[in-house]
Amino acid sequence: MASVTQTAYILRWAPLNFSSQNCTSIKFSPFSHQLLGHGKVSFSIYGHVCGTRNSFSPTFTCSAANKPSDSSSDISSTAKIRSEVLSPFRSVRMFFYLAFIASGSLGGLIALTQLIGALANPVRAAEVPEIAKGLGIDVAAVSVFAFLYSRDNKAKNAQIARLAREETLSNLKIRVDDRRTIPINSLRGIARLVVVAGPGSFIAESFKLSEAFTEGLVERGVLVVPFATDGDFPTFEFDESEDMEQLTSKRRRLWQLRPFNVSEWSKWLDEQKKLANVSSESPVYMSLRMDGRVRGSGVGYPPWNAFVAQLPPVKGIWSGLLDGMDGRV
């Protein structure tokens, strides 16, 4: 999100005008206030005190500077760092590819000049086949290494773009309860999130289908983020009987999260559907790994049974060891 340049707003308020001499200008010390993570607003007050009647004519000046903490450049830098960590030898390979391309190009240029000289001199006609062979080898080497460099570069750009989208998702906020709102990235290493996005009826049916797998999902650290794209969020019905008290508690925990700032969620979801060539009306799901990376996604209901079968539990000494081996759905 682009930063907003500093803007000043001047509000004037003048009481009844008392005619008097000896007006004295006064100035209150400026102060500032931090706005909800977006920047600071500074205030300063100027005025005039006139005569013995203390006629005060103040001028309020408010200036605001919006400096978002997560700009596109910051996200891009984070994505590049994560890309280097995930593929540590790619940069080395690309460096050697460039070195081989430069070496082959230089050799090809030298061979080309020699070939021109040999063709122009009948005495060197016997050298033409050997020079042409060397030139062909240089051209073939340059072509091969250029292809390998292009392939790695495309893979790098695609990976950075994917990681940047994941970083954007990780900065979206979710509501834990009526008092707590946290970004998704605060749950890294704690939970495996499953985003379920679609109409209210789709959310309600997904809730029903997950009932048989509640215990297995909770044991594997799965938490659901239901996002009703039509604004018609369903009312979840839980069994309040004593026999089902423990299971009901787990189901409440499984479905306790809610998206915060719906407009940001809608924008991110629309972009994801466009990139995946999915209709904007299609209900979708997306599952995340423990480390926040996207594990799998698709159109339709989440495969709760596959999650239980493939994900390792988060209890005991194996907790966290298989975070990067969640597999695919």
Side-chain angles (χ1 to χ4, degrees):
M1 185 179 294
S3 60
V4 181
T5 57
Q6 185 174 1
T7 307
Y9 303 92
I10 299 178
L11 306 175
R12 297 181 182 274
W13 170 75
L16 295 175
N17 185 15
F18 295 97
S19 59
S20 176
Q21 299 177 355
N22 302 326
C23 292
T24 302
S25 298
I26 64 172
K27 175 182 178 181
F28 292 88
S29 298
F31 59 93
S32 62
H33 180 67
Q34 181 76 30
L35 290 180
L36 300 179
H38 294 288
K40 288 186 176 181
V41 176
S42 301
F43 302 90
S44 57
I45 304 177
Y46 303 86
H48 300 276
V49 177
C50 301
T52 58
R53 299 192 181 186
N54 294 333
S55 173
F56 178 60
S57 178
T59 300
F60 299 89
T61 303
C62 171
S63 62
N66 184 12
K67 296 180 180 179
S69 58
D70 296 318
S71 63
S72 58
S73 60
D74 294 336
I75 295 176
S76 178
S77 299
T78 304
K80 289 179 180 179
I81 293 174
R82 291 183 63 193
S83 177
E84 291 292 337
V85 172
L86 294 174
S87 303
F89 300 108
R90 178 182 289 151
S91 298
V92 178
R93 291 199 308 268
M94 294 178 69
F95 171 78
F96 281 108
Y97 291 158
L98 288 176
F100 293 149
I101 291 173
S103 177
S105 299
L106 181 60
L109 180 62
I110 295 173
L112 181 61
T113 57
Q114 292 177 345
L115 180 62
I116 294 175
L119 292 175
N121 188 357
V123 178
R124 301 178 55 191
E127 301 177 6
V128 172
E130 189 68 22
I131 296 175
K133 180 181 178 181
L135 179 61
I137 293 174
D138 290 334
V139 172
V142 170
S143 301
V144 170
F145 288 118
F147 168 75
L148 294 176
Y149 178 86
S150 176
R151 186 183 64 177
D152 260 1
N153 190 50
K154 289 180 179 179
K156 177 183 177 180
N157 293 336
Q159 185 182 55
I160 291 176
R162 176 177 59 82
L163 293 175
R165 293 195 298 270
E166 291 180 359
E167 287 298 320
T168 303
L169 173 62
S170 70
N171 291 324
L172 294 178
K173 294 184 177 181
I174 51 179
R175 188 186 298 277
V176 180
D177 51 36
D178 294 337
R179 296 182 179 181
R180 288 188 298 168
T181 300
I182 60 175
I184 287 180
N185 55 29
S186 63
L187 294 177
R188 282 178 178 171
I190 300 175
R192 298 182 174 102
L193 298 184
V194 177
V195 180
V196 182
S201 58
F202 172 76
I203 301 295
E205 187 63 23
S206 298
F207 173 77
K208 294 179 181 178
L209 293 175
S210 70
E211 183 175 5
F213 308 98
T214 299
E215 293 186 358
L217 293 172
V218 173
E219 288 178 358
R220 285 153 180 78
V222 175
L223 294 177
V224 183
V225 184
F227 177 43
T229 55
D230 58 355
D232 185 16
F233 196 89
T235 301
F236 295 149
E237 297 181 357
F238 299 95
D239 191 343
E240 302 295 345
S241 63
E242 295 183 359
D243 296 338
M244 300 294 292
E245 182 178 358
Q246 186 175 3
L247 181 61
T248 298
S249 176
K250 292 181 178 180
R251 285 188 63 72
R252 290 184 185 276
R253 177 185 175 187
L254 180 65
W255 291 85
Q256 66 178 334
L257 302 180
R258 298 289 183 273
F260 182 78
N261 196 340
V262 175
S263 60
E264 292 294 330
W265 276 85
S266 297
K267 179 181 178 182
W268 178 84
L269 183 62
D270 290 341
E271 291 176 354
Q272 290 296 110
K273 287 183 176 181
K274 288 180 181 179
L275 291 172
N277 294 323
V278 175
S279 172
S280 58
E281 292 81 15
S282 299
V284 296
Y285 74 90
M286 177 177 292
S287 63
L288 305 183
R289 299 173 186 260
M290 275 279 197
D291 59 4
R293 289 183 294 163
V294 175
R295 175 178 178 267
S297 61
V299 178
Y301 299 109
W304 305 117
N305 58 337
F307 293 154
V308 174
Q310 298 177 6
L311 295 175
V314 294
K315 296 181 180 180
I317 62 174
W318 302 106
S319 176
L321 183 61
L322 302 177
D323 289 350
M325 301 183 182
D326 285 350
R328 299 179 61 186
V329 176

